[in-house]
Amino acid sequence: FISGLAGALVQRTLQAHQRNPHIFNMELAFFSSMVLLTSLLAGSPDFEKIKTNGISQGWTLGTWVPVVSNGLGGILVGLVTKYHGAIVKSF
């Protein structure tokens, strides 16, 4: 139910308001990053590790592949939703 509602709202925003899907994806990523940063600063046990060794400590090619794949998938979903609708995206 929630996924369908979110798809309908995103489709309406992208199509009715003639929004650029790339800008829309960047806005979603920005707000998601702010939520993550807030939870990190609010007392996450990983905060000290990240502060000491950096955010990408221990990352290998096997870590980057799913991250890049997920990012490209998000862009593709945004484009499909913009030009074909939320129903086509599901099939």
Side-chain angles (χ1 to χ4, degrees):
F1 172 75
I2 298 296
S3 176
L5 178 62
L9 291 174
V10 168
Q11 179 180 347
R12 179 174 179 263
T13 301
L14 291 174
Q15 291 178 344
H17 301 292
Q18 297 299 314
R19 298 283 311 271
N20 183 335
H22 301 298
I23 301 296
F24 187 75
N25 279 338
M26 285 189 266
E27 290 169 351
L28 289 175
F30 173 77
F31 288 113
S32 297
S33 298
M34 291 300 104
V35 169
L36 180 62
L37 183 63
T38 301
S39 70
L40 188 65
L41 294 175
S44 171
D46 293 328
F47 179 69
E48 288 301 321
K49 293 178 187 176
I50 292 172
K51 194 166 98 174
T52 305
N53 301 323
I55 192 103
S56 60
Q57 64 177 353
W59 284 42
T60 64
L61 181 62
T63 310
W64 281 104
V65 168
V67 169
V68 172
S69 174
N70 195 13
L72 293 174
I75 291 170
L76 181 63
V77 166
L79 290 172
V80 168
T81 303
K82 164 89 174 159
Y83 295 110
H84 298 291
I87 301 299
V88 173
K89 174 189 75 160
S90 300
F91 295 104

